[in-house]
């Protein structure tokens, strides 16, 4: 049982153990990353969090070293999606060691979450999802374009009807895009909504047309996924 | 017609009668449980409710005794899902007889509702649903993981964009998770929403990606269910 | 071309004309019914509306008479769904002729809208929808039961977590059902929402489980409908 | 390589270049149209925007000339959907040259967005979507009718329950239609919602029935689309 087998393979007990350890470390580091954002933490907790961060980053650095060292084709791994994600998970920490102001630091918190993406490597069903997306690709692209066009049309329409009644909320078509997003996705925060009769009739018409356009892609993916599974079972039997 | 047949079987008239009686009792006890939570009830109503509760619990205790007594393999029933649910439906009452403070009592109100779960035993279509879930299991697990990762990413992103403009609502990534939940499920209470341009653009992007991830699993289950039904009808004919 | 043919059949030109006239009258009467509810109308408009109502009810009475008169089996028609709907469309008017107070009158306005249901008779695709519902009946019933159980559990849970923080909004489990309805349907008015950490975590869990349960039935109906259409086309070819 | 080939055909390199240029111009003009609506712009920016508009309209006029000139059957193109859209994209500008008041100008801003529709010509997947719509046409029409009837019934019902408690929000059935739209589409802005017990029970019932009716059409389109794709792949192989 060489190190290479432990790091690279997932079908052996030690290999699984290694993968599991990495996942646990990722989850721990994500949780600490979010706890760090909590306001008025005691200095003690702050120091614990920072130490745990250093420890985790250290372990991830070792992991990255092992992956590069045991990779059959080193450069290929370094330039692969997972290779880049692995670096993106540890690089921010080292970059912040060189004195950077707090604002920038906060941005880098976001990058730390990229580690979550690494979990995706451990999923097999992902492949089937990829196939389904490839099947329904054209429709999804089309619906995405139509949805964006509809969003723009909604924003322009509501701006025309409402911007005199509510010059603040619907100051321009660009401002109205926020209303269009919240409405066509049916989130409806309620911070902006039409008050004029014209605006409300327009909202009614847009929603009748728009709900489908926003809801159909999800149905397409579901249909494609179940079809891919069906084909697999048929070819399997 | 022995008692065993009445209790254990559902395909005879007395068996159905017995099951129906149990269902009615469950519904009555659930309704009384919720009426009890009403503020400023008259003492008379309170006493009626408590007496009805005692009566129902008594009947459920007898039912449980009969089920244990008539079960072909007693221990197996006691440790089965339904056996535990049956106990969970009567145990809280007896536990509260030993003086417990009101706060704890309120908690136990929740357990009384477990009785509703007992209704599931009487449904046959449940099996088909189970098959469908088994068919789409992998995808549903995958989508669940992706959805949770997305929730976390959304919370982190919106925290970065909004926590300076709204230090209360977006105090930390953990606080922002509430916004992420209300937004990605399209509930959109409107208690927290982005106000900055960056936060709104981020919300737009997240919603465009996220709606599908939240909506697809339902479509998958529906597709799987209709496929299971189709196979049954084909094998049936 | 006898009257019977005009009234009973829809495959002849006069028959279609007759059906179309009835539909137009129904739409006119529905619109007038809603205009009548407008506050501060001028007496002139009021009188016009009431006269138009009398005229329409008169025509519907004649229509009903013709339908009864030309029905091959009179009693069967009178007791059929459409027969009852036809009476329900004219009866309220005659009942209100006997002096009834305004409050009651308002209630009867609702019944006038039943006329809209009569439109359903003129739709053919309805049959296919019926078939689809029959196909997916069991699942829909099951999901309806589970949805209602989930609604109750959500209401009980949120009441336990929130009723101390918000004694007004979550006064009892019955009060909390309003929150459960608005949340699980993702309407999210924002008039009531959890504020405690426990309540928000509970909302998150409930939404993750509940969205599917509410969304699946629609997918089932859609899948069943497209399957029914498929079978028809296959049997057709 | 004649001009005709460049304008009319999309399968040659110059033809693609021409189409791409038009798309870019459309997007630019749409963006400028929305920027123009921004309040308090500096005169310099205003002049830049107006000049860019003149330039774009000029190019679109040339494009239209070329399309008419190179069309095999000129009149047919002029009266075709795309011909009308092309005119609708440039006409508003020339109409506004003749002194029209600002209010009217704002309206015409909307027509400028029609240019976005021209993008649809460049999409191929559109055809498949058209087929799917044709397949599910009857159901979609039926569901649209039922949805509108349900909207009206909801508005009438909620008006009856709420108009005394909230005479402002639910002044009439026509006013209540706004609530019905926001609720049945699950947008739920939260500007109007029932407060009476009757109104809330009614909302619950309506939502249980209504969600499916609003959600099913999207599922139908998705199912039809995936079926059309399936048939194409089968006929293709």
């Amino acid at each position: 049982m060489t190190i290479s087998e432990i790091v690279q393979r997932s079908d052996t007990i030690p290999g699984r153990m290694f993968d599991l350890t990495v996942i646990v470390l990722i989850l721990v580091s994500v949780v600490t990353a979010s706890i760090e954002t909590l306001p008025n933490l005691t200095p003690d907790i702050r120091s614990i969090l920072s130490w745990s961060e250093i420890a985790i980053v250290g372990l991830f650095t070792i992991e990255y070293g092992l992956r590069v060292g045991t990779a059959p084709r080193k450069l290929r791994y370094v330039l692969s999606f997972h290779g880049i994600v692995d670096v993106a998970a540890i690089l921010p920490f080292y970059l912040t060691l060189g004195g950077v102001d707090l604002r920038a630091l906060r941005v880098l918190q976001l990058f730390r979450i990229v580690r979550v993406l690494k979990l995706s490597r451990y999923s097999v069903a992902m492949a089937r999802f990829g196939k389904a997306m490839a099947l329904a690709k054209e429709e999804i692209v089309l619906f995405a374009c139509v949805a964006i066009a509809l969003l723009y049309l909604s924003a322009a329409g509501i701006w025309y009807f409402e911007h005199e009644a509510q010059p603040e909320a619907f100051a321009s078509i660009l401002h109205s895009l926020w209303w269009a997003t919240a409405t066509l996705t049916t989130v409806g925060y309620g911070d902006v909504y039409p008050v004029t009769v014209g605006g409300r009739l327009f909202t009614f018409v847009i929603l009748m047309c728009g709900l489908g356009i926003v809801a159909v892609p999800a149905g397409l993916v579901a249909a494609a996924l179940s079809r891919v599974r069906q084909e697999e079972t048929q070819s399997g039997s």
Side-chain angles (χ1 to χ4, degrees), chain A residues 27-46:
Chain A
L27 293 178
V28 170
S29 102
V30 166
V31 170
T32 50
S34 48
I35 291 168
E36 263 178 30
T37 63
L38 277 166
N40 43 56
L41 288 169
T42 63
D44 307 3
I45 295 168
R46 286 223 173 280

Side-chain angles (χ1 to χ4, degrees), chain A residues 48 54 73 78-79 84 88 103 123 132 138 157 184 186 191 200 217 229 233:
Chain A
I48 293 161
I54 291 160
R73 297 171 56 181
V78 172
L79 301 175
I84 291 153
R103 231 194 153 319
S123 163
E138 285 165 342
L184 282 172
T186 76
D191 54 341
R200 291 180 166 188
R229 208 186 317 97
T233 47

Side-chain angles (χ1 to χ4, degrees), chain A residues 2-236:
Chain A
T2 67
I3 293 165
S4 157
E5 278 171 329
I6 297 168
V7 176
Q8 294 298 334
R9 293 173 63 181
S10 301
D11 54 355
T12 60
I13 288 94
R16 279 218 201 72
M17 297 286 289
F18 180 80
D19 291 351
L20 207 68
T21 325
V22 173
I23 293 175
V24 170
L25 281 173
I26 289 164
L27 293 178
V28 170
S29 102
V30 166
V31 170
T32 50
S34 48
I35 291 168
E36 263 178 30
T37 63
L38 277 166
N40 43 56
L41 288 169
T42 63
D44 307 3
I45 295 168
R46 286 223 173 280
S47 62
I48 293 161
L49 290 171
S50 56
W51 279 117
S52 70
E53 183 183 357
I54 291 160
I56 289 158
V57 171
L59 291 165
F60 278 129
T61 317
I62 294 157
E63 180 214 352
Y64 183 65
L66 289 172
R67 289 199 188 280
V68 175
T70 59
R73 297 171 56 181
K74 287 166 182 39
L75 193 66
R76 191 182 180 188
Y77 163 71
V78 172
L79 301 175
S80 72
F81 172 73
H82 288 315
I84 291 153
V85 171
D86 291 341
V87 174
I90 50 176
L91 212 60
F93 175 79
Y94 294 111
L95 291 177
T96 54
L97 289 185
V100 198
D101 71 311
L102 287 167
R103 231 194 153 319
L105 266 168
R106 271 202 233 85
V107 194
L108 295 160
Q109 292 292 347
L110 259 181
F111 289 99
R112 283 181 69 180
I113 299 151
V114 176
R115 293 173 193 174
V116 179
L117 295 176
K118 292 173 72 175
L119 287 164
S120 67
R121 183 194 306 164
Y122 304 96
S123 163
V124 188
M126 213 76 174
R128 192 181 288 150
F129 179 64
K131 268 195 210 164
M133 288 300 281
L135 258 176
K137 197 176 119 254
E138 285 165 342
E139 276 82 3
I140 288 164
V141 170
L142 173 63
F143 270 93
C145 296
V146 175
I148 284 160
L150 188 78
L151 266 171
Y152 186 82
L153 281 163
S154 317
I158 207 68
W159 170 80
Y160 168 65
F161 284 113
E162 291 290 326
H163 81 291
E164 284 189 337
Q166 306 185 70
E168 285 305 309
F170 300 98
S172 77
I173 290 177
L174 300 178
H175 289 75
S176 308
L177 277 166
W178 172 241
W179 168 86
T181 308
T183 300
L184 282 172
T185 56
T186 76
V187 171
Y189 286 121
D191 54 341
V192 284
Y193 47 81
V195 294
T196 64
V197 173
R200 291 180 166 188
L201 285 173
F202 180 78
T203 308
F204 170 75
V205 174
I206 283 291
L207 277 169
M208 286 296 128
C209 316
L211 285 188
I213 287 153
V214 176
V216 166
L220 286 172
V221 176
L225 261 169
S226 53
R227 216 183 112 211
V228 171
R229 208 186 317 97
Q230 209 158 353
E231 280 164 0
E232 284 178 358
T233 47
Q234 284 166 358
S235 62

